[in-house]
Amino acid sequence: MPLDDRKKKILYAVITDYIMTAEPIGSRTIAKKYNIGLSSATIRNEMADLEEMGYLEQPHTSAGRIPSDKGYRFYVDSILRSYINNDSPISYNTREEIIAEFDEIVKKYAKILANITHHTTVAKMPRLNPDRIKRIQLIPVASNKIIFLVVTDTGIVKNHLLNLCQNVDRNVFEFLNNLLNDKISGKSEKDIFEFLEQDLRQMLGEMAFIADELINTILMSLKQLQETDIYADGTSHILDFPEYKDLSKAKNFFNLLENKLLLNEVLEPEVDFIDVRIGSENKFEEMKDLSVIKTTYKINGRVVGTIGIIGPTRMDYKKLISEINVMTKELSNLLSSIYNDEI
């Protein structure tokens, strides 16, 4: 049965108050604090109906009501239906970014989001597919140190600092750059690893003295770049919520954040917009008392990663949805301006 306007107003009032106080809400509180225009007795009857319909719960017989996961879902869906405010007053002074490694930019934005929301944020970095390598470059920074730089066809930049056991002349790096780009760029994963493991040593000729170290280092770097990285920030914010004053509950939350495989699945994008999973809607038992607000960030319209906010089901959904939306749009715009086909 659809909710009429009266029930909607009461449900929104209960959720709004519970988000602020973390205390069950009674009908007298609703009547006094919210301009609904109904008597306490009428509100009490409506709240009983909302409980029967599954939108509210009563934790104790004599206590007021609190929102159920179903109640939160109705509330969040109404926000998402009416929401996309491109003229949000929220502004982030982060445009002074310089060209940097992709992951560091995403981590900075996740950190800012954690600081302004006072929630735990998690970010999923993109996995690098070898067959999407546009260019690689060995940049000498010293006679025995080089930066191994990889640029994908979307413009994403990844780099590793490599330390070599022997000094190598800079002219060698120019030769290697040309050779590697000719043999690796745009090739399949199988062809890339086959070339590095079987053919490169022979092609280096008299420079083969650096082959073993260089091959092993490049192979290790490529394999690391293929691994999905999960970054978390603001983990201690969970302790600010009354629900997590219980040490065992807090410990379970921190253990959850260490489970990279689980977080990788949680952050897997299912829709190309803001996605909210509330309590029991999460498929993992470890997430049943938590809500996740996640959305993707992009480069020139192409999804490259995900950022999420994790917290108790009693969270300010409207505020957090607005902030993650603005932040990921800003991040996408910045990444698109930095990592483009001209790199």
Side-chain angles (χ1 to χ4, degrees):
M1 183 174 72
L3 297 183
D4 57 34
D5 288 342
R6 192 158 73 177
K7 285 185 172 60
K8 288 179 185 178
K9 289 178 181 178
I10 293 171
L11 177 60
Y12 291 162
V14 172
I15 293 174
T16 299
D17 212 82
Y18 187 65
I19 286 172
M20 291 189 295
T21 66
E23 296 291 338
I25 316 301
S27 58
R28 291 184 63 189
T29 300
I30 299 297
K32 287 181 179 180
K33 291 179 65 174
Y34 298 91
N35 187 25
I36 294 180
L38 299 172
S39 68
S40 177
T42 301
I43 293 172
R44 188 181 309 115
N45 290 335
E46 294 288 2
M47 290 175 71
D49 289 345
L50 285 167
E51 181 182 357
E52 187 176 336
M53 296 167 72
Y55 292 99
L56 297 178
E57 296 175 348
Q58 192 171 25
H60 308 290
T61 305
S62 59
R65 269 82 169 185
I66 65 174
S68 66
D69 288 351
K70 182 179 178 180
Y72 279 130
R73 169 50 58 194
F74 185 87
Y75 175 74
V76 167
D77 285 347
S78 69
I79 294 172
L80 293 177
R81 279 195 301 270
S82 63
Y83 183 80
I84 288 297
N85 183 6
N86 293 322
D87 299 319
S88 172
I90 304 169
S91 177
Y92 306 106
N93 185 24
T94 53
R95 297 296 297 181
E96 73 280 3
E97 299 282 2
I98 60 172
I99 292 180
E101 187 174 359
F102 179 92
D103 290 6
E104 294 307 312
I105 295 175
V106 176
K107 288 176 182 178
K108 179 173 181 178
Y109 272 69
K111 186 176 187 67
I112 294 172
L113 187 60
N115 288 339
I116 63 173
T117 62
H118 303 289
H119 279 69
T120 300
T121 60
V122 286
K124 182 175 182 177
M125 313 297 176
R127 176 185 179 273
L128 177 68
N129 295 319
D131 58 355
R132 294 201 177 275
I133 292 176
K134 177 180 178 181
R135 176 168 59 85
I136 64 173
Q137 191 167 355
L138 302 174
I139 304 172
V141 293
S143 58
N144 65 340
K145 289 184 179 180
I146 59 174
I147 293 176
F148 177 56
L149 183 76
V150 181
V151 182
T152 71
D153 62 355
T154 57
I156 296 173
V157 177
K158 298 271 195 172
N159 62 64
H160 275 206
L161 180 64
L162 312 181
N163 293 300
L164 303 175
C165 295
Q166 302 181 55
N167 295 338
V168 179
D169 187 273
R170 285 176 178 263
N171 292 330
V172 173
F173 293 118
E174 184 176 353
F175 170 81
L176 287 171
N177 281 327
N178 292 333
L179 178 61
L180 290 171
N181 278 294
D182 180 57
K183 298 297 182 182
I184 287 180
S185 298
K187 299 297 192 297
S188 68
E189 179 177 344
K190 178 177 178 292
D191 290 341
I192 288 174
F193 285 98
E194 187 175 281
F195 168 74
L196 290 171
E197 292 173 330
Q198 299 178 18
D199 302 330
L200 179 58
R201 185 178 291 99
Q202 180 179 350
M203 299 182 73
L204 286 173
E206 61 184 27
M207 291 181 290
F209 67 92
I210 66 168
D212 287 337
E213 185 178 10
L214 186 64
I215 291 168
N216 290 336
T217 305
I218 291 176
L219 284 170
M220 180 187 68
S221 297
L222 285 175
K223 287 175 181 177
Q224 287 177 350
L225 291 173
Q226 286 180 264
E227 296 174 358
T228 299
D229 185 23
I230 303 293
Y231 172 75
D233 205 294
T235 56
S236 63
H237 288 315
I238 198 69
L239 300 176
D240 296 335
F241 296 95
E243 296 92 326
Y244 283 82
K245 296 299 183 185
D246 182 294
L247 290 180
S248 63
K249 198 170 182 180
K251 183 179 178 182
N252 289 337
F253 179 78
F254 293 128
N255 288 338
L256 165 69
L257 294 180
E258 292 178 1
N259 189 337
K260 301 300 184 184
L261 290 176
L262 184 149
L263 287 179
N264 184 53
E265 284 204 50
V266 168
L267 290 175
E268 188 66 25
E270 297 175 46
V271 294
D272 190 18
F273 180 55
I274 295 171
D275 188 15
V276 183
R277 298 292 178 212
I278 302 167
S280 58
E281 294 176 354
N282 292 296
K283 64 180 180 180
F284 297 105
E285 188 62 36
E286 297 93 327
M287 305 284 295
K288 297 302 183 184
D289 293 326
L290 298 166
S291 285
V292 181
I293 303 173
K294 64 181 178 180
T295 189
T296 58
Y297 56 94
K298 305 174 182 179
I299 293 178
N300 298 320
R302 185 174 186 175
V303 173
V304 291
T306 314
I307 286 184
I309 297 172
I310 300 179
T313 53
R314 184 187 63 86
M315 60 166 58
D316 191 341
Y317 292 97
K318 188 172 185 179
K319 177 174 180 286
L320 296 178
I321 287 171
S322 175
E323 288 174 341
I324 196 173
N325 180 65
V326 172
M327 177 59 78
T328 50
K329 281 186 175 180
E330 176 72 11
L331 174 59
S332 296
N333 289 338
L334 178 62
L335 292 175
S336 296
S337 69
I338 292 176
Y339 300 121
N340 53 52
D341 290 338
E342 296 177 359
I343 293 180

